[in-house]
Amino acid sequence: MGSSCTNAFYNFLTQGLNDLHQSFISHNFMSFQFLSQVISSLQSFHSQLTILVRKLRLPVGGKWLDEYMDESTRLWDACHVLKSAISGMENYYSSAINIASSLDGYHYYTPEISRQVIRTINVCQREILGLEEENKSLMETMIQPLSQCMSQNISMESKLNGFNGFRGVLYAMRSVGSLLLMILLCGVAYCWSSSCFHQGGYEGHMVYGSGFMVSMAMLQQKVAEEIDRNMEVQPGILLFEFQQAKIAMEELKVELERIAGYEETEAEIQEKVDNVKSCFGLLRCGIETITGQLDDFFDEIVEGRKKLLDMCSHR
């Protein structure tokens, strides 16, 4: 029973990682569509882990419970960092939408009007630089432990067989979860380079549930390659919709700077204003979706811990 249950979990991980790999190459780099699926997969893996524990009928009060609690706490803490990074964008998109709305209704743009809006845009852009610096500090505390979990040596199969195979499953969840959390943090918080994804070594110890490790290595390598290809300018928040919004804001600013050089002009900037509204509207929708998913995940973590504690106390 134990072996078939754990094998089913490994197969579930493998399929989920393969689906994520396909999603990654099918969507824009670090888009909300992809990152939303990453969170869904993380939540689904955790849910299956909790179900598996109940099937294995592990001993009451065993060390397995402590290890499960440690892992769920790690997920909880990392997701709070994610939520903090995402919530920091809320002021940014609100300010940007207000800037674009303030330009509605103008037919003539004087240099004074243009310079006033440019100053507001500059404040908005400085705020986002400050946010990225804050996120960078958050990432500095997260990146090393996540990288270590992604590259653990698992060559001791006897150790992984502990707790009726549950220890191996927990290792798998810790490794996969660390990769998915790293992807999410690089997308919505801060990314220096692809170096955090170059934690190889899986091929050297394919001993237990190795299918998921192959799939994990493939996704990890693909993400690293795309980070290298897309980070030609500078480190920061990689989120596709965030980058598109920044570009739209800068294009509007450039047009206003051109107008500011004339006494008075009738300018056709409505297209750029509309683009700012559209890009920041998409950013807002994505942030709200991801925030809702994280809140659901928090609820599930709490519920999973409660179920296992209840299960142990009532046996």
Side-chain angles (χ1 to χ4, degrees):
M1 175 68 175
S3 177
S4 63
C5 288
T6 55
N7 286 337
F9 181 80
Y10 289 126
N11 290 337
F12 184 76
L13 281 184
T14 302
Q15 185 58 53
L17 289 166
N18 290 341
D19 290 344
L20 282 178
H21 185 271
Q22 185 59 44
S23 175
F24 184 74
I25 62 179
S26 301
H27 293 110
N28 289 314
F29 174 69
M30 290 296 182
S31 67
F32 272 128
Q33 291 99 323
F34 170 67
L35 295 181
S36 176
Q37 188 169 342
V38 172
I39 295 178
S40 293
S41 297
L42 192 60
Q43 182 173 355
S44 180
F45 294 159
H46 179 265
S47 176
Q48 288 298 313
L49 178 67
T50 306
I51 292 170
L52 175 64
V53 172
R54 299 169 75 181
K55 288 181 178 178
L56 291 177
R57 300 192 63 79
L58 297 168
V60 175
K63 195 172 183 298
W64 66 269
L65 184 59
D66 292 336
E67 294 190 18
Y68 171 88
M69 292 297 178
D70 288 346
E71 176 58 19
S72 63
T73 298
R74 194 179 69 90
L75 285 172
W76 175 277
D77 291 343
C79 286
H80 266 290
V81 173
L82 272 172
K83 190 170 182 182
S84 175
I86 291 170
S87 63
M89 293 188 206
E90 292 175 0
N91 286 339
Y92 180 51
Y93 69 65
S94 296
S95 298
I97 291 173
N98 288 338
I99 289 169
S101 297
S102 72
L103 291 169
D104 281 341
Y106 281 106
H107 297 291
Y108 291 90
Y109 297 87
T110 64
E112 182 182 355
I113 292 171
S114 298
R115 284 192 289 268
Q116 181 181 344
V117 177
I118 289 167
R119 283 194 294 270
T120 308
I121 290 175
N122 286 338
V123 170
C124 191
Q125 291 176 326
R126 282 195 297 271
E127 285 177 354
I128 207 61
L129 288 174
L131 173 64
E132 288 188 317
E133 280 302 308
E134 290 177 15
N135 290 352
K136 181 179 178 182
S137 297
L138 287 173
M139 281 294 285
E140 285 170 348
T141 65
M142 299 292 299
I143 198 161
Q144 186 176 358
L146 287 174
S147 295
Q148 288 174 344
C149 286
M150 284 162 54
S151 58
Q152 294 176 89
N153 190 310
I154 62 160
S155 56
M156 296 174 61
E157 186 169 359
S158 59
K159 184 177 180 180
L160 293 177
N161 276 313
F163 308 138
N164 202 15
F166 179 66
R167 181 166 274 154
V169 165
L170 199 61
Y171 160 80
M173 183 64 196
R174 187 179 300 122
S175 298
V176 172
S178 295
L179 173 60
L180 301 191
L181 289 168
M182 187 77 81
I183 290 171
L184 290 166
L185 287 164
C186 284
V188 303
Y190 195 90
C191 184
W192 285 274
S193 70
S194 64
S195 60
C196 55
F197 291 95
H198 292 311
Q199 305 290 332
Y202 300 112
E203 296 81 1
H205 40 261
M206 295 290 186
V207 293
Y208 200 50
S210 61
F212 89 85
M213 298 175 70
V214 173
S215 297
M216 181 177 166
M218 287 172 56
L219 177 61
Q220 188 170 330
Q221 181 181 349
K222 187 63 179 176
V223 171
E225 289 172 357
E226 289 301 305
I227 288 176
D228 286 337
R229 195 168 69 83
N230 283 272
M231 282 190 63
E232 297 174 354
V233 185
Q234 60 184 8
I237 298 170
L238 298 184
L239 178 65
F240 175 77
E241 288 80 3
F242 175 81
Q243 292 296 329
Q244 292 299 107
K246 280 179 66 176
I247 291 169
M249 178 72 84
E250 184 61 27
E251 288 177 349
L252 175 60
K253 178 181 169 182
V254 168
E255 182 65 14
L256 289 167
E257 287 172 340
R258 185 186 68 79
I259 294 168
Y262 296 89
E263 288 296 318
E264 185 171 320
T265 183
E266 184 174 2
E268 290 295 332
I269 67 166
Q270 192 59 47
E271 181 180 342
K272 289 182 171 54
V273 171
D274 290 342
N275 191 37
V276 167
K277 287 182 177 179
S278 174
C279 288
F280 279 90
L282 289 173
L283 181 63
R284 178 179 62 189
C285 288
I287 287 171
E288 289 173 351
T289 298
I290 296 290
T291 300
Q293 286 183 288
L294 287 173
D295 286 340
D296 288 344
F297 192 24
F298 288 139
D299 291 342
E300 183 175 294
I301 290 173
V302 171
E303 185 64 23
R305 290 165 68 99
K306 183 177 181 297
K307 283 180 179 177
L308 295 190
L309 287 171
D310 287 348
M311 180 184 76
C312 289
S313 62
H314 287 95
R315 269 194 197 170

